Amino acid sequence: MSTEVLPPVAPEVLAEAVELLSARLRKKLDAAVAECAARAEPAADGAVSVPFGEDAVVTLRPGASGAVTGADQAVCTCLLAPRCLHRAAVLGASPIADGETVSGPPSEPLLGSAPVSLSVPLSEAASVSLSGASGRKDAGREPAAVPPPASRAAHGSGGVGTEASQGPPPALTAAQVRAASALWEAAAEALSAGVTSGGTVVQAELLRAAHTARLAGLPRAEAAALRVVRGLRAARERGQGQRLGDLTGAFRELLAGAAVLAAGSSGPGSTGTTRRAYEQGGSLRVFGLCREPVLSATGYGGVATHLLGPDGAFYTVSDVRPGGLSRARGAGSASVALGGAVLDHAGLARGGLRIVGATVSSDGRLGAGRGVSATPVRGVSWSEEPAAALFARPVHEAMAAVFDGDPPESDGAGAPLLGCDVEVIGAAGECLVVRVAGDGPVLRLRPAHPHPELPHAANLGRIARYPGLMLRVLGRPDPERAATLRPLAVGPAPGASDTLRLPEEWLGRADLGYDRLQGSHFPPAAERSVPVGPVGAGSDPLADAPLWRVRRLLETGVAGGRRAVAEAGRGADAAALVAPLRRAGLGGAAQLAQALTAEADRRPRDAFGRLRDASADGYARAWLASAVHLAAAERSLVVASWS
């Protein structure tokens, strides 16, 4: 058996078990955790046992939530229990439970929260604004990675109060400031250790600080810490799909949020919320845009149907539950659980609803509370209002609006849907290269969900066989790549003869995550004018800039810790890092990278002249300053690439 059999464990349970160990046993903990992989055995009563020899058996008995939330639910038969290595090793090998699982399920689907803008000082004269990923991002991307719609303030409230109208945020309490300070210290130590030294003991300290943050009313900070712990585990286990860049972003978010909170600053949504706040939205009329499959790395699957109001406000109806890929594929045609509506998600994506007594979250999620009733209405095509307005705005203006406020998260979650008419150029690697109609920029279309069992990649590959084809595309911009769009649906371009020919029942669009394009949906080759020449993906200012050197330095620090950064800043490596940045006019990035390597290599001496380890605080601040500056610089280049 594998550790997948083990139930999730509350962070505080693991932290307490590690704290009970002696210093000698802590040194053996990581090796003991690795040995648990083939020992877990499920029992008929729902318990899981892990034998260690003849005299020691660890038994985990999860509660009603399916997680081990108390110390008494993890017992060992050895004489040292509960201060034994066996019990701590099994708990360390188990998945980390969400705060939502520990606290109980929310009254409405907890699938997102609004992003928060953080400001981290870079020097005495400058600061950079950083938007951290919202607390809905899995705390490791769970329970479901459903991207929220656009801000209500940007697209009209639709009768729902916005954060801007709720008055100033409450001041932080002394307990919250102390919890944030403890979380900063634990995160700084974990960053200084890096993946190579960030074993179970380091993770346990971070989990204890995360638990303290939750008790103090800082669920967003707790979620960020859990993401870092999961990222450390995946990196140490070399898990499939694990990206060092994701862990680097998780560290940046955690440190930035903890630094702001520890300083006593509070902004809208900076503390987060454990439950989504749904408010009365009165009567709403919404029209379907498209469906998007939802698939998380932790076994959740489902669908999110994107809707649009007459005022241009975005809404979503989500159905996400445990079940993984099969659930994500089947949910696209499942019934909509909203106010007794008789539509399924496929019908809603091409239809509409009139909702009475609607409950709406601040990010546009429609709730299915009591008193909500919904009646199906006729849908609108993309050439009719209000959907047509999505495709009428120039893409560079739309992208400037996306990044003008709180930038979207690293995977594009939180970005509003963007529509445009494009001409297919061809395939370039895994991308479909298109040009925006009207002499617009060249864009790269990447699969919104790369899972091979979902039809996103296959549909884009089929479209790439028809250069010169005109399309209407609706998708989400990728904030980490230059001029990149992740399409969710496509349709025929109005007024174009060389375009898609979809069935009438599809109402002029194909959901790339559910509908499969066939040869009959494309015009005959004889009716098309195919351009001749090699396919070019256009310029990429992000790839051409030497900022990748800073990114590699930051990721080196996450992987190898402080010592790895110090080595990268010595001798010829230091010149190779700084000189290209200065030549490119990126003096700020060069200065911050140089300060980071200098701080990483700093070794103070005590009163007797003996070398001692430097505090992790200064190193973490230098790393964070460089990381925030890099994020802002890359964001500027991404926005410029859409012009």
Side-chain angles (χ1 to χ4, degrees), residues 109-140:
L110 185 58
L111 299 176
S113 61
V116 55
S117 180
L118 306 174
S119 180
V120 181
L122 302 180
S123 65
E124 295 180 357
S127 65
V128 172
S129 176
L130 166 68
S131 172
S134 70
R136 77 148 191 76
K137 259 185 83 180
D138 71 44

Side-chain angles (χ1 to χ4, degrees), residues 29 69 196 226 238 252 311 315 362 469 511 603 635:
L29 182 56
T69 58
T196 55
L226 294 183
R238 299 181 180 180
R252 184 190 65 213
D311 57 353
Y315 301 89
S362 60
L469 187 72
D511 296 329
R603 292 290 302 276
R635 188 180 308 129

Side-chain angles (χ1 to χ4, degrees), residues 2-3 6 14 18 21 25-40 50 52 85-95 199-201 203 233 236-237:
S2 69
T3 53
L6 296 171
L14 173 58
V18 174
L21 296 179
L25 293 179
R26 289 188 183 189
K27 296 179 180 179
K28 302 179 179 181
L29 182 56
D30 289 333
V33 168
E35 294 176 359
C36 293
R39 296 179 178 176
V50 182
F52 286 85
L85 181 64
H86 314 118
R87 179 173 176 270
V90 174
L91 292 174
S94 302
T200 308
V201 175
Q203 297 169 23
R233 286 189 169 192
R236 289 177 63 85
E237 297 169 2

Side-chain angles (χ1 to χ4, degrees), residues 560-579:
R562 180 176 190 151
R563 292 183 179 180
V565 174
E567 289 292 336
R570 294 173 183 167
D573 291 338
L577 170 65
V578 175

Side-chain angles (χ1 to χ4, degrees), residues 288-290 308 314 380-398 417-422 436-438 471-476 485 487-494 507-510:
L289 289 174
C290 62
L308 189 67
F314 287 102
V380 297
S381 69
W382 283 357
S383 58
E384 300 178 64
E385 295 294 344
L390 295 176
F391 305 91
R393 192 176 189 182
V395 292
H396 65 276
E397 292 184 9
L417 300 183
L418 184 149
C420 56
D421 293 338
V422 301
V436 177
L471 290 175
R472 176 157 279 190
V473 180
L474 182 66
R476 189 176 292 105
L485 187 70
L488 302 180
V490 296
L507 201 63
R509 64 258 204 180

Side-chain angles (χ1 to χ4, degrees), residues 7-11 67 94-102 106 109-113 133-147 207 219 222-231 233-234 273-274 276 294-301 320-324 365 409 411 413:
V9 172
S94 302
I96 301 299
D98 289 334
E100 300 155 11
T101 303
V102 175
L110 185 58
L111 299 176
S113 61
S134 70
R136 77 148 191 76
K137 259 185 83 180
D138 71 44
R141 206 172 286 285
E142 57 230 3
V146 183
L207 290 175
E222 180 213 16
L226 294 183
R227 278 193 293 278
V228 169
V229 172
R230 292 189 176 99
R233 286 189 169 192
T273 177
T274 55
R276 179 179 302 279
V294 177
L295 184 62
S296 79
T298 53
Y300 284 80
V320 181
R321 302 175 188 175
R365 227 43 85 79
E409 300 164 16
D411 61 350

